[in-house]
Amino acid sequence: MPPELEKEIRDHMADYPDPHSAVLPALEAAQRVHGWCSPEAITQVAAVMQVTPAYLSSITTFYDMLNTEPLGRHSVYVCTSVACNLRNAQALLEALELAGEDFDDANIRGFECLGACDMAPMASIDNRYVGPIDPSEAPEVIAAIKEGRTPLPGRGLGDEGFRLPWDKDGANG
């Protein structure tokens, strides 16, 4: 097991009164190191947390942010919940899938709710919330990911100067 993974799992366990409560952050750490929750990753987490691999497998198959098979290194999750769907999220998802159809290193999919309704339609791109995104911008988003650039700079939460397009005075940005 990579020593830094073991340390991270133990650090997460120390954050909780019951160390078993650290299962999700521990599995997310293993997924980050291994690229997915492989049998090897699950066995490593189980050894540190002193739980069975079967217990961890039941958790990885329940939560859809944990991957039970290898996927692309990049994640593009389009919010498909009510607020985003009312603002054309399905067209955005389809445009991103079309633009990324020859890009095997990206996992592009719909996600029920990302909790950023004010940015609708939006996506989590490698854990960076970006929006609103027009379907016509899908080719640029995919090109930026392929080239290692930040997709739609200035349009992600936490980006310097981030502001929603309709927030002209910056009151919410």
Side-chain angles (χ1 to χ4, degrees), residues 2 4 18 25 34 42 61 64 67 71 79 86 109 128 133 138 145 152 155 158 166:
E4 54 282 349
D18 178 354
H34 292 277
I42 289 173
T61 57
D64 67 355
N67 301 319
L71 299 171
C79 182
L86 290 173
R109 67 184 187 95
R128 179 176 163 260
I133 306 173
I145 296 169
L152 305 175
R155 301 258 299 277
W166 45 84

Side-chain angles (χ1 to χ4, degrees), residues 106-130:
N107 175 23
I108 303 168
R109 67 184 187 95
F111 198 91
E112 181 51 34
C113 184
L114 292 166
C117 303
D118 58 339
M119 299 173 73
M122 58 81 61
S124 170
I125 303 171
D126 291 335
N127 297 315
R128 179 176 163 260
Y129 277 29
V130 181

Side-chain angles (χ1 to χ4, degrees), residues 9-162:
I9 293 169
R10 291 192 187 285
D11 288 348
H12 287 306
M13 291 171 65
D15 289 340
Y16 296 91
D18 178 354
H20 294 123
S21 297
V23 166
L24 286 176
L27 287 168
E28 287 174 336
Q31 178 170 274
R32 195 171 48 257
V33 168
H34 292 277
W36 62 297
C37 289
S38 65
E40 177 185 10
I42 289 173
T43 300
Q44 290 174 352
V45 174
V48 175
M49 296 193 75
Q50 298 183 352
V51 297
T52 66
Y55 171 70
L56 295 178
S57 291
S58 72
I59 292 170
T60 58
T61 57
F62 181 79
Y63 290 99
D64 67 355
M65 76 272 213
L66 298 170
N67 301 319
T68 56
E69 59 187 41
L71 299 171
R73 287 183 308 124
H74 300 281
S75 61
V76 180
Y77 300 155
V78 176
C79 182
T80 57
S81 199
V82 174
C84 285
N85 258 330
L86 290 173
R87 297 190 57 112
N88 218 9
Q90 194 59 45
L92 173 59
L93 176 58
E94 291 168 7
L96 286 164
E97 289 172 336
L98 181 63
E101 69 184 353
D102 66 338
F103 186 36
D104 293 335
D105 209 15
N107 175 23
I108 303 168
R109 67 184 187 95
F111 198 91
E112 181 51 34
C113 184
L114 292 166
C117 303
D118 58 339
M119 299 173 73
M122 58 81 61
S124 170
I125 303 171
D126 291 335
N127 297 315
R128 179 176 163 260
Y129 277 29
V130 181
I133 306 173
D134 188 270
S136 67
E137 296 173 305
E140 168 54 27
V141 168
I142 298 301
I145 296 169
K146 284 181 177 180
E147 296 166 10
R149 296 183 287 116
T150 299
L152 305 175
R155 301 258 299 277
L157 284 181
D159 288 3
E160 188 173 329
F162 172 78

